[in-house]
Amino acid sequence: MFAALPLSVSFWSDQFVNGLTTGSLYALIALGYTMVYGVLKMINFAHGEVFMIGSFAGYGALVAMGGNDLAGPTIAVAILGAVIVAMAASVSTSVIVERLAYRPLRNAPRLAPLISAIGVSIFLQYLVLEQTSARAKFYPDIFPRGSLTAGPFQITYIQLFLIASSIAMMAILYAIIQRTRLGRAIRAVAENPTNASLMGVDVNRTIVFVFILGAAMAGVAGVLYGLFFQTIRGSMGFIPGIKAFTAAVLGGIGSIPGAMAGGYALGLAETVGRELLNQLPGIDLGNQWRDVIAFTLLVGILIFRPTGIFAERRTTRA
């Protein structure tokens, strides 16, 4: 049984906000995994590096626009500019990777594109590490400080901005998939590429748009990550990428709402869940146990519900 929770209400509200904050990042990155898998039935393990490149591109844009010297209204303009540059860098990387590493293997056995994705991931990671001499970069500390408080509940401005931005981007993506002609084409290709082609859908172009949309979300996540955590490095894409993949599996890979729900569930499990476990007698889990909780959750989902919580119904292809 759990011992009586001696910690304050404000402590638990802080853990909840922290879980939503990290969960928002996981959800944004997970969208790229779930979209590519939903259409190609392929795990794009290079997606974490696409996120990393977006973060570095956003950093470069902020430094070029003034870095720590930015002040007043120019901060908002600079952040918007960094987001646009990050999206462009992530999208460009993803499109090149799709064309050179994935498209030639589209009809190959499933193991071939998986190995190709891992190879691309390693290549991009070490390319950036070499270009940066394996040194960390520090995002300009320009976001206004302060917080909003309502009773025991408190959320900083950067946390509110990150959560709100993530929800807005995910809502835009969901509207594109559900309400636009491009979204209908993506859903048609995901259902049956051959039939979609016979109905006049350009399958190759639609698949490229899938990579573009997923990479754009990763680029936004890269800038938000840098603004929040401040430190970025060439190896930063691996752990968030794997956790985002965990979130996609948790929610039901191939499902956009599932990726969002899985991201938030994983973020809350790492923060609130860890502190709840710490209330058990003799348990004292440090911050490093966040990763253990995340991957234990992944193993549990794969064992007991491998299709995920929000798994989409699949039809048999002719």
Side-chain angles (χ1 to χ4, degrees):
M1 294 179 61
F2 285 104
L5 302 181
L7 303 175
S8 65
V9 175
S10 62
F11 173 83
W12 291 108
S13 65
D14 287 345
Q15 296 305 312
F16 181 77
V17 171
N18 290 338
L20 288 181
T21 303
T22 55
S24 295
L25 291 173
Y26 295 156
L28 271 179
I29 304 171
L31 290 171
Y33 283 106
T34 206
M35 288 186 65
V36 170
Y37 183 85
V39 173
L40 292 178
K41 304 299 176 287
M42 183 197 99
I43 304 299
N44 179 17
F45 278 118
H47 192 62
E49 277 57 51
V50 172
F51 151 77
M52 175 268 293
I53 287 173
S55 190
F56 270 91
Y59 162 81
L62 286 175
V63 170
M65 288 185 281
N68 287 316
D69 295 329
L70 291 165
T74 57
I75 292 176
V77 176
I79 291 175
L80 177 60
V83 167
I84 293 173
V85 170
M87 292 172 70
S90 291
V91 165
S92 299
T93 302
S94 191
V95 169
I96 292 171
V97 168
E98 188 277 332
R99 185 64 184 87
L100 298 180
Y102 298 156
R103 190 180 300 186
L105 300 174
R106 194 174 295 165
N107 297 318
R110 289 191 178 185
L111 188 59
L114 176 63
I115 294 173
S116 179
I118 294 173
V120 169
S121 172
I122 295 171
F123 171 79
L124 292 176
Q125 179 180 147
Y126 280 90
L127 176 65
V128 174
L129 284 171
E130 192 276 333
Q131 293 298 316
T132 59
S133 300
R135 294 178 179 174
K137 301 293 183 181
F138 301 96
Y139 255 63
D141 188 11
I142 58 175
F143 206 89
R145 299 183 182 276
S147 60
L148 298 177
T149 304
F153 183 84
Q154 181 175 319
I155 182 170
T156 63
Y157 292 148
I158 181 63
Q159 287 176 317
L160 181 61
F161 175 73
L162 193 153
I163 294 171
S165 298
S166 298
I167 292 174
M169 294 304 299
M170 290 184 285
I172 291 171
L173 177 63
Y174 189 73
I176 289 173
I177 297 300
Q178 297 296 324
R179 305 287 184 180
T180 67
R181 184 175 180 180
L182 170 62
R184 289 194 296 272
I186 290 173
R187 285 183 279 124
V189 173
E191 183 68 26
N192 192 309
T194 302
N195 288 349
S197 178
L198 293 174
M199 295 297 291
V201 176
D202 188 328
V203 174
N204 284 332
R205 186 174 66 176
T206 301
I207 290 173
V208 169
F209 275 119
V210 168
F211 277 87
I212 288 173
L213 291 173
M217 298 297 110
V220 175
V223 174
L224 295 177
Y225 180 99
L227 290 172
F228 184 70
F229 291 105
Q230 297 287 290
T231 305
I232 61 173
R233 48 176 51 88
S235 58
M236 63 177 277
F238 178 73
I239 293 297
I242 292 296
K243 288 187 177 180
F245 172 66
T246 302
V249 174
L250 174 62
I253 193 162
S255 167
I256 290 177
M260 293 186 275
Y264 289 120
L266 182 59
L268 290 171
E270 288 185 352
T271 53
V272 178
R274 178 172 61 90
E275 293 301 336
L276 284 172
L277 290 174
N278 279 338
Q279 303 310 304
L280 292 171
I283 300 295
D284 184 18
L285 304 179
N287 192 57
Q288 66 272 19
W289 281 82
R290 291 161 55 103
D291 296 344
V292 176
I293 292 172
F295 297 123
T296 300
L297 189 60
L298 173 61
V299 172
I301 288 294
L302 290 175
I303 292 173
F304 297 106
R305 189 174 174 82
T307 56
I309 300 171
F310 291 87
E312 294 185 333
R313 290 187 304 173
R314 306 233 177 241
T315 57
T316 303
R317 291 184 178 177

